[in-house]
Amino acid sequence: MAEFGREAEIGIIGSILIDNGAVAPARDVLKAEDFYSEANRVIYSAMLSLADDSMPINAATIAMRIGDSRAFDEAGGVQFLLECERRLPSACNVPRFAEIVRADSLRRKIVAFGQRLEAVGQSPMENPDACIATLGDELVALADGNRAARSVTLSESMGRVCSAIVNGEKKRFVRSGFTDLDALMNGFY
């Protein structure tokens, strides 16, 4: 059975609802495809889209952004979002929740690769070398995708910083301890 950290996925959604600033550490680690639950993927995608548009992230804006979605409705719709928010006392655990969701996603991808490898190995092959090359390419793509999910380009990071400064989001920054530098840059992102 596929790994599914339901509580961690709900933790991500609830954390972002409690504190919209929690979207930054979550997006540094997670892509929507990392969520096992289709409804949670749809919700997280809407959250990222709202953040990109500098819109507030709450149950109402998410529901409007999603529109008609069978998965969202089956998960409980707005009531599900409100329950996610109620379950958490704060958003401070979002980095840990994100790591759990990412690790579960990676395990599912490894299992899927293993199943594909087994299927190819048990099927008649005209060109085993081509199969090995293709599977090797898939494994490299899996490893590269994992590394890419954890890295952010300087341009992306600076775009987020500029957007946050323009929107007055000072709470997401860590103070450097140098008063003049903090006054100029609002600390480190």
Side-chain angles (χ1 to χ4, degrees):
M1 179 160 171
E3 290 289 325
F4 172 35
R6 176 177 166 75
E7 294 301 317
E9 289 190 8
I10 289 171
I12 293 289
I13 292 167
S15 293
I16 295 171
L17 287 167
I18 290 169
D19 176 5
N20 288 185
V23 77
R27 102 177 315 148
D28 287 344
V29 176
L30 297 175
K31 297 182 227 172
E33 70 190 38
D34 290 327
F35 285 79
Y36 179 79
S37 162
E38 181 183 352
N40 294 344
R41 279 193 303 269
V42 169
I43 292 166
Y44 185 70
S45 290
M47 290 175 151
L48 295 178
S49 174
L50 289 164
D52 290 342
D53 293 343
S54 300
M55 300 285 296
I57 302 170
N58 57 50
T61 57
I62 292 169
M64 287 189 315
R65 184 62 53 110
I66 291 172
D68 271 344
S69 166
R70 180 189 52 77
F72 180 61
D73 292 341
E74 287 177 3
V78 172
Q79 290 301 320
F80 171 72
L81 293 174
L82 296 174
E83 180 59 29
C84 289
E85 188 173 7
R86 272 192 291 262
R87 291 174 77 169
L88 296 174
S90 76
C92 67
N93 290 323
V94 77
R96 180 65 185 131
F97 292 144
E99 285 298 326
I100 292 169
V101 171
R102 189 189 69 75
D104 288 348
S105 173
L106 187 56
R107 277 192 283 280
R108 289 190 305 272
K109 289 174 184 174
I110 291 168
V111 167
F113 178 77
Q115 290 169 340
R116 171 126 165 75
L117 182 63
E118 180 181 19
V120 168
Q122 292 180 354
S123 66
M125 296 177 237
E126 288 184 28
N127 187 346
D129 291 330
C131 289
I132 290 171
T134 299
L135 290 168
D137 290 344
E138 288 179 27
L139 184 59
V140 168
L142 176 62
D144 287 346
N146 182 46
R147 280 190 292 275
R150 298 185 56 90
S151 63
V152 179
T153 66
L154 180 59
S155 174
E156 290 171 324
S157 182
M158 288 306 296
R160 291 182 197 165
V161 169
C162 291
S163 175
I165 290 171
V166 167
N167 294 324
E169 298 176 26
K170 294 182 181 180
K171 65 183 176 197
R172 293 184 355 191
F173 300 98
V174 176
R175 299 289 173 205
S176 69
F178 296 98
T179 309
D180 293 340
L181 181 62
D182 288 341
L184 179 65
M185 297 181 60
N186 292 323
F188 296 112
Y189 184 69

